[in-house]
Amino acid sequence: MLFCTPALNGNAAAQDTKRIYDGRLSPKPGIILPSEQALLKNKVMPVVRKWQNQGDSICTGGAEASGIDAAMGSFTRPASVQRAILYRYCMTGHNRAVNGIAVIENGQLAAHVVYEGGWDNAIGAVPDLNGNGRSEIIVATGGTNQGMTWKSIAIIDLTDNSVAKFGRVRMFSDGCGVNEACRAEACRLSVKAGRPPVFYREDFVKGTEGKWGRPGPARQISLDKDEVEYHIVK
């Protein structure tokens, strides 16, 4: 589960800037409740199976809506109490999968998003970046290919009818699988809420001594384009 943290201490342009993700960390997954696992099996699986069968992707191995992580927020309506469950339905290739987000309110499915993405592994809630009263969602993914390890996040906003994409940010990378004298690079992402929200990043480097150095100065950034196509399904 991903969490927001307190405001920066003078590094960013405003005191109301909030840290929303740190690429140096590996958050522990949230607990998926038995009732939520049952909802994934009984309500979500039939829908995602039908959606996947209508597309071009081919699942490798067994296909089952398996809960990965959970976050709490107001995702489709202001002031609602909801849980967003990140799940994986099946793998379609190396670091490719059919994923989904099931938003649950009062034990019922309030919204359901399906998409072809990566091996997404964490979800988090960000409290209202753009003043619409809803919590935005962070989805984290990552992988290793030919000795190169990386992590990135995407930020989305949803109602029960649509998904808006803020963008994507690379949060961590290293080449330690191919070079013992490697260095790792990571960043910490912060945001100042508004219309539009303003994002900042601080960069960190870890050398062969195994310790992260002090962060570089916070700088304003534009998020990369999120190429994932998110689909609201009923």
Side-chain angles (χ1 to χ4, degrees), residues 18-224:
K18 294 182 179 181
R19 294 172 181 155
I20 59 174
Y21 193 82
D22 192 329
R24 300 170 298 169
L25 306 179
S26 297
K28 293 182 179 180
I31 296 174
I32 310 299
L33 303 175
S35 60
E36 293 167 341
Q37 295 282 19
L39 187 145
L40 289 178
K41 179 179 179 181
N42 299 324
K43 300 294 185 180
V44 168
M45 268 196 66
V47 176
V48 68
R49 182 186 296 118
K50 180 179 179 181
W51 179 85
Q52 189 269 331
N53 287 340
Q54 293 172 342
D56 298 325
S57 59
I58 299 176
C59 290
T60 59
E64 182 178 0
S66 177
I68 297 171
D69 194 12
M72 183 170 288
S74 302
F75 302 107
T76 66
R77 295 186 299 105
S80 59
V81 179
Q82 300 174 328
R83 294 250 297 174
I85 309 299
L86 173 68
Y87 71 85
R88 181 179 303 151
Y89 175 67
C90 71
M91 293 183 291
T92 58
H94 180 72
N95 198 38
R96 296 188 63 82
V98 174
N99 302 309
I101 300 169
V103 178
I104 300 173
E105 182 177 1
N106 294 326
Q108 302 297 317
L109 198 60
H112 185 190
V113 181
V114 177
Y115 61 98
E116 291 189 71
W119 292 351
D120 297 354
N121 52 46
I123 191 171
V126 184
D128 194 8
L129 297 182
N130 55 9
N132 62 12
R134 299 192 299 267
S135 307
E136 282 74 32
I137 292 175
I138 291 179
V139 179
T141 190
T144 299
N145 188 28
Q146 297 182 339
M148 304 293 293
T149 299
W150 58 274
K151 301 177 185 177
S152 71
I153 63 169
I155 304 175
I156 61 174
D157 185 22
L158 59 91
T159 67
D160 58 354
N161 295 312
S162 65
V163 178
K165 300 185 287 188
F166 287 83
R168 185 173 293 274
V169 186
R170 178 67 64 95
M171 300 298 302
F172 175 92
S173 63
D174 76 34
C176 297
V178 293
N179 181 8
E180 292 183 359
C182 67
R183 74 174 197 171
E185 298 178 351
C187 76
R188 183 165 56 193
L189 187 67
S190 304
V191 64
K192 181 181 178 182
R195 292 180 176 267
V198 180
F199 294 92
Y200 300 87
R201 65 179 288 164
E202 301 162 277
D203 293 307
F204 297 82
V205 174
K206 181 170 67 175
T208 55
E209 73 282 358
K211 295 182 179 180
W212 290 104
R214 295 179 63 84
R219 56 189 178 89
Q220 185 177 334
I221 64 167
S222 297
L223 304 191
D224 297 330

